[in-house]
Amino acid sequence: MLAVDVVAFQRHQMSSEMLPAFVETSNVERKQDLSEDQESQKPRLSKDFEPISKRQRKKLIKQKQWEEQRELRKQKRKEKRKRKQLERQCQMESNSDGNDRKRIRRDVVHSTLRLIIDCSFDSLMVLKDIKKLHKQIQRCYAENRRAPHPVQFYLTSHGGQLKKNMDENDKGWVNWKDIHIKPEHYSAFIKKEDLIYLTSDSPNVLKELDESKAYVIGGLVDHNHHKGLTYKQASDHGIDHAQLPLGNFVKMNSRKVLAINHVFEIILEYLETRDWQEAFFTILPQRKGAIPTDKACETSSHDKKSARVEGELDSDSSEEENSRNKLDSPPEEKQDKENSTDSTVNSIPH
C-alpha cells in the first residue's frame, strides 16, 4: 500500500514539472500563429508603391470632413427652406393690399400692335452672331412679359442655326408664353399693306406708332457688314418701310444702328409714355453718348459764339501789336526820310 502511494506521488511530481514547459511551448506557438495572422492581414506593398503626397493627404482629409458634415449641411438646407417659406408668407401678408406682382400683372393692357423679329438672315451669320441674336431675343421676350403694354410678339422664319442653338442652350423656349414662334416667313400670314419694315436706311421717319400695323425688325447681327440689306429686302418685296425718329430727338457720337432689343424696348417704352424723347433716353445705353438735339444745338451755337469772340480777340490783339510796333519803331526812319527830302531838295536845280 505504501509502495503504490509512492509511485503515484512520483507520477504527480513529474506531471507538475512537465506542465510549465508544455504551457510555455503552447504560448510560444500561439504567439507565432498570431504574428503570422497579422502579417497575412497587412497589405503587401508592391515594389512600385509610392507614399501619399501631402496634397493627396489634404484632399483625403477634406473629403472625410465633407462626408462627416453631410448631415449638418442637410440640416442647414432644411432651415434655409423654412426661413424662405416664412419670408414668402410675410411678404404675401404685407402685399395683401393689392401691390403684389400677380395683381399688377392682371392690370396689364395688351397692345394690338404686332412686333415681328425676322429671322430669315440665318445663313448670313456665323455662330458667334447667332448666339448674340439668341440673347437679344431672350431680352425682348423678358421685357415684353414685364411691360405694362405688351405687344403681339412674333418670331418668324425660325429654324436653322438659331433653332439649333436655342435647343442646345435654352430648352425652355418651347414653353414661352405670349409669343408666336413660326417657321414660316411673316409674309405668309400677314397682309402686305399691314407691314412696316423698321430700318435705319429708310428715308421715311416715323412720327407715331399705328397699333393696327405689324412692324418688322430685321433679326440680323452682322456688325454692319451687310449695310442696307433690310431696306433692300423691304423695297424688293414692296413693303412699306420707315426708321425711328432718332435724329429728331437724339444726337449720338456713334452710328444710328441699334441692337434688336433696343428697338424692341424703345417701342414698348413709347407705348407706355407716348414720348419719343423719353423712350430714347430711357433705353439707349450710355456708351452711345446720346444727348438731346436741343442741347446739341445750344452747345454748337455756344461754340460758334466762343469761336467768334476768340477771333475778335485775336484781331484786336494783332492790331494792338501793329500799333505797338509803329510806336516802338526807332527814329532812324525819320532821319532817313529827312535825308531823302534834303537830297531831293539839293538835287533841284536853282
Side-chain angles (χ1 to χ4, degrees):
M1 184 70 179
L2 184 59
V4 174
D5 292 337
V6 171
V7 172
F9 175 75
Q10 290 176 352
R11 287 179 180 175
H12 177 72
Q13 190 174 6
M14 288 174 63
S15 62
S16 62
E17 290 175 356
M18 293 174 64
L19 183 61
F22 175 75
V23 171
E24 188 176 354
T25 55
S26 62
N27 288 335
V28 171
E29 290 176 355
R30 192 178 293 110
K31 287 180 180 179
Q32 289 177 354
D33 294 337
L34 287 171
S35 62
E36 289 177 358
D37 292 338
Q38 289 176 357
E39 288 179 359
S40 63
Q41 290 177 1
K42 286 182 181 179
R44 295 181 180 178
L45 302 177
S46 62
K47 294 180 181 179
D48 299 332
F49 177 78
E50 295 181 359
I52 298 175
S53 64
K54 290 183 180 179
R55 185 177 294 178
Q56 290 174 338
R57 192 180 299 114
K58 286 181 181 179
K59 283 184 179 180
L60 291 173
I61 291 169
K62 285 183 180 179
Q63 186 176 0
K64 186 180 179 182
Q65 290 176 351
W66 187 84
E67 290 176 355
E68 289 175 352
Q69 295 175 358
R70 183 175 294 175
E71 292 297 326
L72 181 62
R73 289 196 305 274
K74 190 176 180 181
Q75 186 66 25
K76 285 184 178 180
R77 285 196 297 269
K78 285 183 180 179
E79 291 175 358
K80 189 176 180 180
R81 281 197 296 270
K82 288 181 180 179
R83 188 169 62 253
K84 284 187 176 181
Q85 190 175 359
L86 289 172
E87 288 176 359
R88 281 196 297 268
Q89 288 178 356
C90 294
Q91 190 174 3
M92 287 175 67
E93 290 174 0
S94 63
N95 291 334
S96 58
D97 57 347
N99 293 328
D100 57 331
R101 188 175 178 182
K102 288 186 178 179
R103 297 202 176 193
I104 290 174
R105 188 67 187 168
R106 288 175 193 165
D107 296 336
V108 166
V109 179
H110 289 268
S111 173
T112 56
L113 184 144
R114 289 160 289 178
L115 199 51
I116 303 164
I117 296 181
D118 176 19
C119 303
S120 62
F121 306 98
D122 192 87
S123 60
L124 301 177
M125 291 181 284
V126 296
L127 182 59
K128 182 180 177 181
D129 294 333
I130 289 288
K131 289 181 178 180
K132 288 182 180 179
L133 173 62
H134 178 204
K135 287 183 179 179
Q136 292 182 19
I137 291 170
Q138 285 178 319
R139 182 69 181 267
C140 294
Y141 172 74
E143 292 298 326
N144 194 50
R145 290 280 291 168
R146 286 194 291 263
H149 299 289
V151 297
Q152 307 298 315
F153 187 12
Y154 285 83
L155 202 64
T156 62
S157 301
H158 183 251
Q161 296 182 86
L162 177 61
K163 184 177 182 301
K164 184 180 178 182
N165 185 71
M166 292 174 71
D167 288 335
E168 291 175 354
N169 302 313
D170 185 17
K171 294 180 181 179
W173 71 268
V174 295
N175 299 319
W176 284 1
K177 298 177 181 179
D178 299 330
I179 185 172
H180 309 279
I181 302 177
K182 296 181 178 293
E184 299 88 7
H185 193 262
Y186 55 85
S187 60
F189 52 89
I190 296 178
K191 295 178 182 179
K192 187 182 289 186
E193 55 268 22
D194 291 341
L195 291 166
I196 298 176
Y197 213 114
L198 296 175
T199 170
S200 60
D201 299 308
S202 174
N204 307 322
V205 180
L206 278 178
K207 293 182 179 179
E208 58 183 15
L209 294 174
D210 185 354
E211 296 195 37
S212 65
K213 297 290 185 180
Y215 294 87
V216 185
I217 303 172
L220 177 62
V221 180
D222 65 335
H223 308 284
N224 213 24
H225 294 157
H226 301 281
K227 191 174 181 179
L229 181 62
T230 53
Y231 172 63
K232 184 178 183 301
Q233 190 181 81
S235 300
D236 292 344
H237 286 85
I239 299 170
D240 290 339
H241 46 79
Q243 61 169 298
L244 296 178
L246 192 64
N248 297 343
F249 299 93
V250 180
K251 178 73 175 177
M252 293 197 305
N253 295 332
S254 60
R255 57 196 179 94
K256 293 193 295 181
V257 180
L258 304 177
I260 296 164
N261 59 295
H262 290 155
V263 178
F264 197 101
E265 291 172 43
I266 286 167
I267 290 173
L268 289 177
E269 189 69 23
Y270 176 79
L271 290 173
E272 183 179 358
T273 61
R274 297 291 172 176
D275 186 337
W276 282 118
Q277 184 165 333
E278 186 177 348
F280 288 135
F281 284 97
T282 303
I283 303 302
L284 288 176
Q286 292 182 353
R287 67 175 183 273
K288 292 285 186 181
I291 57 173
T293 50
D294 51 355
K295 287 187 178 181
C297 293
E298 288 176 4
T299 53
S300 62
S301 61
H302 182 267
D303 293 340
K304 287 179 181 177
K305 286 181 181 178
S306 61
R308 194 182 300 114
V309 169
E310 287 177 359
E312 290 175 357
L313 290 173
D314 292 338
S315 62
D316 292 342
S317 61
S318 62
E319 289 177 359
E320 288 177 359
E321 287 179 359
N322 292 331
S323 61
R324 193 181 297 112
N325 291 332
K326 289 178 181 179
L327 292 172
D328 295 339
S329 59
E332 294 177 356
E333 294 179 357
K334 292 181 180 179
Q335 292 176 358
D336 293 339
K337 287 181 180 179
E338 289 176 357
N339 295 330
S340 63
T341 53
D342 292 339
S343 62
T344 54
V345 170
N346 294 330
S347 63
I348 297 173
H350 295 282

